[in-house]
Structure formats: C-alpha cells, structure tokens
Amino acid sequence: MKEYTIQSLVRVYDWEELPQEDRILIERAKGATKGSYAPYSSFCVGAAARLKDGTVVIGSNQENVAFPSGLCAERTTLFAANAQYPDQPVLSLAIAARNAEGFLSQPIPPCGACRQVISGVEQRYHQPIRLLLYGTAGTHVVDGIDALLPLQFADSYLKG
Ligand code: THU
C-alpha cells in the first residue's frame, strides 16, 4: 500500500491587507446579494467575476419553488460571464453571503457542484481562478480550485 497527502493553501486576509482590486471585487459580490432571489432559504449569496480584460460580471443565487431547479450565485455568475464574454478568461471570483443578521463572519465555501463548474471554467481557459471567500472576520483566498477540489476530473481522462 502506498499513500499520499493532499495539501491546500488558504490565505486569510484582514480587509486592510487585501489589494485594492480584490476589495473592489468583494464589494461587487456583496452588492450582488441585492439581486438574490432566496424566498425559501432567506440566504442571499452574491458573486463577482473579474475577467482578463477587467470586466466584472456579477450574479446571485436564484431559487425556484422546485428546489433543485434553483442555481447558486457562483454558477449563475460564471455561466453569465462565459455566455456574454466567451473570449475572456475568468481571473478571480469573489463570493459573499448574508442572512437576516447581515454578512456572515465566516466565508461560505462553494458547494460541490459549483466547485466542478469552477474547475471546468479553469480548464476551458487554461487559467486558474483566484477565489476570494469573503467573511467579516477575514477573507479566505485560494489561488485556484485545486485547493478546494483535489483530484479533479478533466477532459484529459476522456482521451485515455
Ligand atoms: N448557495 C449559493 O448560492 N452558493 C453556495 O456556495 C452555497 C449555497 C445558495 C443556494 C441556495 O439558494 C441558498 O444558498 C441556500 O443553500
């Protein structure tokens, strides 16, 4: 038997330590929560994607009475970005969430389905996506989805 360990590096920044560009993207993600449609969970999630040419695309969670038909903020945002700007790789994705009491102190990590889509977008553009997971107690930053989704399925496996 052999074994190996998979490690992830997560950097936690205080607000003042974040580069200005990241702070701006997080503010856009926080603002995007205003577009959230969450009558069932009352949990509003916003995301903002910065594209290579500097364009910022925002999105938010959109719920549906048939629960599984709703979509998370991360996928709403990435699909909108790719649909409108198919030639532009996504460089960074900021995510913020609030409940009735306000923005959460600890950031929310993307769900499994969103991680898979983030992985797919990285592969499509051959470009890692920096994830900025905002919490009022600190922003957790990873340099790519590798850190949250080890052992990813990739189209290279299809080719054998
Ligand atoms: N949600 C997101 O938008 N992103 C996540 O990473 C986790 C969960 C949404 C889905 C649903 O509308 C609500 O939050 C509660 O799960």
Side-chain angles (χ1 to χ4, degrees):
M1 195 269 275
K2 294 177 185 166
E3 61 182 9
Y4 59 94
T5 304
I6 300 172
Q7 288 186 316
S8 297
L9 176 67
V10 182
R11 297 188 182 87
V12 182
Y13 290 87
D14 289 334
W15 186 250
E16 306 72 38
E17 293 176 314
L18 282 167
Q20 165 95 340
E21 200 177 55
D22 290 345
R23 286 202 295 245
I24 290 169
L25 198 65
I26 291 167
E27 289 296 1
R28 295 295 303 275
K30 290 171 74 178
T33 62
K34 293 182 192 139
S36 169
Y37 181 63
Y40 306 106
S41 70
S42 300
F43 191 70
C44 298
V45 186
R50 183 184 302 287
L51 312 186
K52 192 168 184 192
D53 70 357
T55 303
V56 172
V57 176
I58 62 166
S60 52
N61 57 327
Q62 301 296 317
E63 297 185 351
N64 188 278
V65 63
F67 289 4
S69 299
L71 200 63
C72 294
E74 295 89 327
R75 275 175 289 164
T76 304
T77 303
L78 289 176
F79 289 150
N82 288 170
Q84 295 175 85
Y85 305 98
D87 299 331
Q88 288 298 317
V90 178
L91 301 188
S92 305
L93 181 70
I95 302 157
R98 62 178 165 81
N99 58 21
E101 272 123 52
F103 284 98
L104 306 189
S105 64
Q106 292 303 315
I108 56 152
C111 79
C114 287
R115 291 177 198 211
Q116 182 60 39
V117 169
I118 295 167
S119 164
V121 176
E122 285 192 353
Q123 290 175 48
R124 174 173 173 177
Y125 296 101
H126 308 288
Q127 170 68 55
I129 299 175
R130 278 179 75 238
L131 301 175
L132 311 172
L133 311 178
Y134 171 75
T136 59
T139 297
H140 295 214
V141 179
V142 295
D143 288 333
I145 197 63
D146 264 17
L148 303 183
L149 188 66
L151 305 178
Q152 290 161 59
F153 183 69
D155 61 3
S156 54
Y157 293 106
L158 295 176
K159 292 158 196 148

